[in-house]
Amino acid sequence: MTTHLTPVRTGEQIAVTTVRTRTARRESRIPRWTFKIISPTALVALWQALSATGVLIDDTLASPATVLATGVDLFAEGRLQEAIAVSLQRVGAGLVIGVVAATLLATLSGLFRRGEDIIDAPMQMLRTVPVIGLIPLLIIWFGIGEEPKIVLIALAVTFPLYMNIYGGIRNVDAGLVEAAKTLGLGQFAQVRHVILPAAMPNALVGLRYALGSAWLALVFGETINASAGIGYEMNTAREFFQTDVIVVCLVLYALLGLVADFIVRGLERVVLAWRPAFSGK
């Protein structure tokens, strides 16, 4: 609690007391990032302890120290960088195709009733089909090259993003649209200045889901006759029971997904700076 003097019109000064809550005082002493790393650190420490005591053997699950050493060796050999580059190219290509398709379809379906009649029913049916189950058909249609991998990722991205954009458009407050009409905005201006900004929060949530789906699809996609990539390294390690390499690959998937999610959350703070939101107590 701090006290300072504030001048008033009559020239007098009154004492103003600023009260800091218990939560504010605690957060000022302990940064939030320390709480975020407690549980992961505890899990890694438990994992290392179980490995050191022999409860977990390397044939079952390599220890964190072994995994770290293996990751350093793979990086020194250049295999890690090559695998990441190849996998990022596949995810990037599939993500671009999926985002464009989902945005176009959801916009047409959300803005126009006729578009909903034509587009939404097939999309609702197709989204219930397991994307992974399409791998045999994709191989028949596109062969065993890069195409089926990219198409698989694009399909995994399209459906969650479509659902969120479509839902965001259809959940726009009708009062805002009526107010825009009253102000004389045309249809294009209404879409640009009212409907799309209001649907943006849903769209960004859908993008976060889509990124998670993209990395999940990549894991399965890289089982299709891949000769490079994180999935290829993991499949090769599986054949030789190299649990350390498998864990390195899993950690890479997790870190890349975390970085992608961090980028989208940063984009949210920039794009949605106009929108006050509850950030937790």
Side-chain angles (χ1 to χ4, degrees):
M1 181 175 67
T2 58
T3 304
H4 60 274
L5 298 178
T6 301
V8 295
R9 288 185 178 179
T10 59
E12 300 177 353
Q13 292 182 332
I14 59 175
V16 178
T17 301
T18 302
V19 179
R20 299 177 63 193
T21 64
R22 182 180 302 175
T23 302
R25 292 195 298 270
R26 184 171 63 250
E27 289 185 352
S28 65
R29 293 196 302 266
I30 305 176
R32 287 187 60 191
W33 63 266
T34 57
F35 294 98
K36 295 181 179 181
I37 66 172
I38 289 176
S39 54
T41 304
L43 288 175
V44 173
L46 176 62
W47 176 12
Q48 180 64 43
L50 292 176
S51 298
T53 55
V55 177
L56 290 176
I57 59 176
D58 285 347
D59 291 340
T60 302
L61 183 63
S63 67
T66 303
V67 171
L68 180 60
T70 300
V72 173
D73 292 340
L74 291 174
F75 183 83
E77 295 173 9
R79 291 168 55 187
L80 212 59
Q81 301 92 309
E82 180 184 359
I84 293 174
V86 172
S87 294
L88 283 176
Q89 289 176 4
R90 290 168 180 157
V91 169
L95 186 64
V96 169
I97 296 172
V99 168
V100 171
T103 303
L104 179 61
L105 293 172
T107 302
L108 292 175
S109 182
L111 292 178
F112 307 105
R113 293 180 181 176
R114 191 64 65 193
E116 180 185 12
D117 296 338
I118 297 173
I119 297 172
D120 190 60
M123 292 296 292
Q124 296 300 333
M125 289 188 295
L126 290 174
R127 77 180 181 86
T128 60
V129 177
V131 176
I132 308 306
L134 297 176
I135 290 179
L137 281 177
L138 294 178
I139 293 176
I140 293 173
W141 293 342
F142 300 103
I144 56 176
E146 291 296 305
E147 291 82 3
K149 303 176 183 62
I150 294 174
V151 172
L152 185 69
I153 295 169
L155 289 173
V157 167
T158 299
F159 296 113
L161 187 56
Y162 169 86
M163 291 296 298
N164 279 273
I165 296 177
Y166 171 79
I169 293 175
R170 284 305 175 95
N171 287 323
V172 173
D173 188 353
L176 294 176
V177 179
E178 290 299 325
K181 292 179 181 178
T182 303
L183 292 174
L185 294 180
Q187 289 188 354
F188 179 77
Q190 292 173 31
V191 172
R192 179 183 176 185
H193 297 291
V194 178
I195 296 177
L196 291 185
M200 188 60 66
N202 278 52
L204 291 174
V205 170
L207 183 59
R208 292 177 66 183
Y209 276 110
L211 284 170
S213 300
W215 288 109
L216 180 62
L218 176 68
V219 175
F220 292 96
E222 290 187 330
T223 63
I224 306 174
N225 195 42
S227 58
I230 301 174
Y232 167 75
E233 296 291 343
M234 188 163 60
N235 289 330
T236 303
R238 180 192 59 194
E239 296 177 1
F240 296 98
F241 300 97
Q242 296 173 315
T243 59
D244 52 346
V245 177
I246 293 175
V247 175
V248 168
C249 294
L250 291 175
V251 170
L252 281 178
Y253 279 127
L255 290 178
L256 290 172
L258 186 64
V259 169
D261 185 74
F262 179 78
I263 292 173
V264 176
R265 296 186 70 172
L267 183 63
E268 285 181 347
R269 286 191 289 269
V270 174
V271 176
L272 302 180
W274 55 272
R275 177 177 173 266
F278 177 67
S279 58
K281 293 183 180 181

